[in-house]
Amino acid sequence: MNFQLSKEQENVKKMVREFAEAEVEPIAAEIDQNHRFPIENVEKMAKYGMFGVPFPKQYGGAGGDHISYAITVEELSRVCASTGVIVSAHTSLCCWPIYAFGTEEQKMKYLPKLLKGEHLGAFGLTEPNAGTDAAGQQTRAEDMGDHWLLNGAKVFITNGGFAEVFIVMAMTDKSKGTRGISAFIVEKSDEGFSIGKTEDKMGICASSTTELIFQNCKIPKDRLLGNVGEGFKVAMATLDGGRIGIASQALGIAQGALDVTVEYMKARKQFGKKLSQFQALQFEIADMATRTEAARLLVYKAADMKDKKLPYGMNAAMAKVFAAEAAMYVTTKAVQLYGGYGYTKDYPVERMMRDAKITEIYEGTSEVQRMVISAAVLGK
Amino acid sequence: MAFNILVCAKQVPDTNVIKINPKTGTLIRDGVPSILNNDDANALEEALRIKDEFEDVVVTVVSMGPPQAQDMLTECLAMGADEAILISDRAVGGSDTQATSNALVATIKKAEKEMGKSFDLVFAGRQAIDGDTAQVGPQVAEKLDLPQVTYVEECSLNAEMNEVTVKRNLEDGYEVIKVKTPCMLTAIKELNTPRYMTIEGIFSAKDKPTHVWSAADVEVDLSTVGLEASPTNVFRSFTPAPKGKGEMIEATSEKELVEKLLVGLKSKHVI
Amino acid sequence: MAIKVINDKCKGCTICVKACPFDAIEMKGKIAEIGAACTACGVCVAKCPFEAIEKVEDENDNGVDLSEYKDIWVFAEQRQGKLMGVALELIGEGYRLAKEISDDTKVCAVIVGDNVAHLADECYAYGAERVILIEDPLLKNFTTDGYTKVLTDAINEFKPEIVLYGATHIGRDLAPRVAARCNTGLTADCTRLDVRVSSYIDFANKNTTLDTSTLDPNDPDTGIKQTRPAFGGNLMATIICPRFRPQMSTVRPGVMQKREPVEGAKGELVEYKPTIAAADIRTEVVEIVKSAKELVSLTDAEIIVSGGRGLGNEEGFALLKDFADHIGGVLGASRAAVDAGWIDHSHQVGQTGTTVKPRIYFACGISGAIQHLAGMQGSDMIVAINKDADAPIFEVADYGLVGDLYKIIPLLKEEWDNADALFDASAK
């Protein structure tokens, strides 16, 4: 057992932190308030290789590992959770399934641009009537002989408004239930495909969350990802990895809230003493720090297991549910410790608290994570 | 034939983080990170910009320091440098700027011989934040017999790659200077904004050559390096005496604060 | 020179390990060991409670005959035919040092340029006893190659004991090059110079925490003791150059005192004919541009109003400028404010900016990072205004005001001219 980051991982942490503090943090409040997707920073992050961290260089990746990927999302989310999820959704939900399930032709066609960040990726599974119950897919894909025809709609799609490439789940054989779902690669320019309304959200306001609409959307035959009927398997495997990304985002939010609160408590005086000198408040910080560190261990362990090609689904679910709840706990405490100021937009903790909430919901709610964990522990 | 750029860099403690223990009057070094010296990062960035702009440019970073300085060199490689050299030896420890430049020059000459090339352009940072002397760059240039331009705030290499035009910062303006390569340029922060490491660079750094050489490896004359060979020596060192604490003005309003201050300044005849 | 641990006396207490500013001491078992990073600064010698560490002096065996070298030279930097202020300050300082060495040690101003003979009188007026004039059309503008060559040649011919340069962008370009070519030591950015041990002791007792009990005030040594900040001003070091000549220093502008000028003073003029050819100069000065940006003469300012991160934004400087204009002050800034892009670097006070010592220094919203303090601690009167009562700036302030500078500064401007009345009222 080794709890030390490697030299490379340390440098990733250092580099992303420097980048995040210099480029991301200064605009974090503004993009949150204006609900503005930070396209300028997406371009910079692309230049530095943040969109292809855990993929081999032969496909345009950075040649890193999943711990480094987790660190990247964590450090970005430490100052801006919206920016963190752009990387997470792109990497885990779009690039990874193409890398894991794509044919060599598909990989060579899509990965270089995606991993270099020239194209953003997104993932479409959730539908208005198929959220946690992902098997209830209503989007259909019909085999028209020389092409597929897609009809239906997806909702809550992260990066929707800015992605070029989408991994989309659709029913190819309703009678087979989850075994009748197949995965497809959809391009933004495909005929009959359009982006619907953009959601007005409580948090992660700078990330783009949209509907995807398919009206007789024609896509070539070679866009099928994996085999016919394997879509549910692709989706579940993808979400396993995605949970590491969201867990990293939650971890980053918690760390960010902890860091600013510590600074604040050392500066703010009440009753002639700094907040950091009150024992009751010191104990709050102790609990916040402990939960954050526990989350970190779970997240890095799940990422490490993925790197080592061990079964990591349960660990990713544990990391996600724990980190998300830690983020909610830490940010709520942070607002409390800031007092009245914490409730205002002059300080970042209220944004962090709003941002933290989504991590308990998307890519599998905390309830779903507990289903995954308990099934693994108890045996199905 | 490749165009070879050498960048002289130093690993330094981040002096912004250093604090003094008020009780003992000593430096607190715990938790002080070691970093690539600020001006040296600008020097490296300029070399990398030339590499981006021109074909077939090789950027080599050279440093003198303890073995841990390899970490800093790895960061330089992760930013995009092609190879790194560290001269690390007890024999060169305690060198002042004169002796340091002797060790670096021996290292540079050894590198040229070993790698069968000559450096067309040498960059250094203006000064290191731990010593602030700004002497090693010019002294290396002197001993390599290169012309130098210090305080470079703008730099452009001509298409033939044999002449640089630089803007040299002055206290009251600047001068524009032309100089043929090879030459030494020392960078200031106005020159550029250093890039970050790239993720790909971080994971490729270990595949790039890093040479760690001893004094014997670089065949330096041992009578020209180290504490013994340094013309300057530290006679004494101490922490500045903290000035006695002044008066905190107590008042119930800003107006009262201001009035009490003015009375105080008046009574001490400073206004 | 070397630091040695006397193994029999070392008790393994590790005080020296913690005291070492260079992290150069390690414990080998129960005994301290001096490592390669040692600069022989001697902090450990003073800190060791058991006298187990000693400084061993070497003999001078490098073949330099120190007695051949005499007089103090000041590189009297001129630009476009005008002397830099620091040149006059150094002539003043050189005069003081020369007289401490011996009555017949002279301070000489070295003027390099073309058609600059007229500057000699100004040098005499400020205390130079001799002027060495080096003129050539090729020396009209400063070039590293040209100036290094003629100055080194002159040094080799006349053998001065000490050479002082202003730590300007030109002085700091030229001096290291000359020092390398003369194979001697150079100390950068000095803020204090002494030759007599007794003067050094006086200085140290007044201004530092240095234990001077090990120094002998009757020590006849007149080697230069050059005191300068290191580690961003966290540490002061006094540097000597005992075995090589000339001893060279660059000195920060604004630190040394000019002498009162004596109109019509005369000295000895030595015209040194340089050997210089166009081919010796490998750089071409295409143009010299005086910057259009407002010249901030922080070094000469009587009053400085400085702003830091606590201003919160760029507009804060407009408020300070308004106040500074009203009271005849100049605008300064902390590194944090400059780094934030609120104000040009030329306003920066501190270790990496300008060293100032005005009559009054207003520090507004400046927390007092050590490197800022290094550049303004010499001010006669420091007034600090900050929201945070624990800001380190208050440790050095003569007057501390805890409050909102956006309220205090306008009031201060308003009441400034009422100071007399306020004072009279308070006296009653």
Side-chain angles (χ1 to χ4, degrees), chain C residues 73-76 78 108-120 130-141 146-158 160 163 174 178 269-276:
Chain C
W73 279 17
V74 170
F75 171 67
Q78 57 84 21
C108 312
V110 183
I111 309 174
V112 183
D114 185 33
N115 287 324
V116 287
H118 63 282
L119 298 174
R130 182 185 293 151
V131 164
I132 296 171
L133 185 63
I134 308 178
E135 288 187 306
D136 192 285
L138 290 169
L139 301 171
K140 181 170 190 294
N141 294 319
Y147 277 47
T148 303
K149 175 152 198 326
V150 301
L151 194 56
T152 309
D153 288 349
I155 286 170
N156 287 336
E157 178 154 341
F158 294 101
V163 183
L174 172 67
V178 173
L269 181 70
V270 177
E271 290 186 54
Y272 177 75
K273 244 342 285 124
T275 323
I276 181 97

Side-chain angles (χ1 to χ4, degrees), chain A residues 7-9 11-12 14-16 18-19 22-23 47-50 53 57 60-65 68 72 116, chain B residues 33-36 45 70-72 74-75 78-79 193-207:
Chain A
K7 283 252 152 78
E8 280 94 354
Q9 290 158 352
N11 275 339
V12 169
K14 178 173 174 174
M15 173 257 162
V16 183
E18 279 174 16
F19 176 90
E23 317 281 343
K47 194 170 120 196
Y48 287 105
M50 294 186 212
V53 178
K57 288 180 191 158
D65 53 10
S68 296
T72 303
K116 290 281 176 213
Chain B
S34 290
I35 57 170
L36 166 62
E45 172 63 28
Q70 278 179 81
D71 290 347
M72 176 273 290
T74 303
E75 288 180 33
M79 286 167 73
T193 307
R195 64 193 64 191
Y196 307 96
M197 294 179 267
T198 69
I199 308 248
E200 190 190 340
I202 289 168
F203 288 97
S204 315
K206 61 177 175 297
D207 304 328

Side-chain angles (χ1 to χ4, degrees), chain C residues 381-405:
Chain C
M381 168 68 61
I382 297 171
V383 178
I385 304 169
N386 205 300
K387 264 187 191 169
D388 177 6
D390 294 318
I393 191 76
F394 290 122
E395 303 289 327
V396 301
D398 297 283
Y399 286 109
L401 283 70
V402 178
D404 181 357
L405 66 95

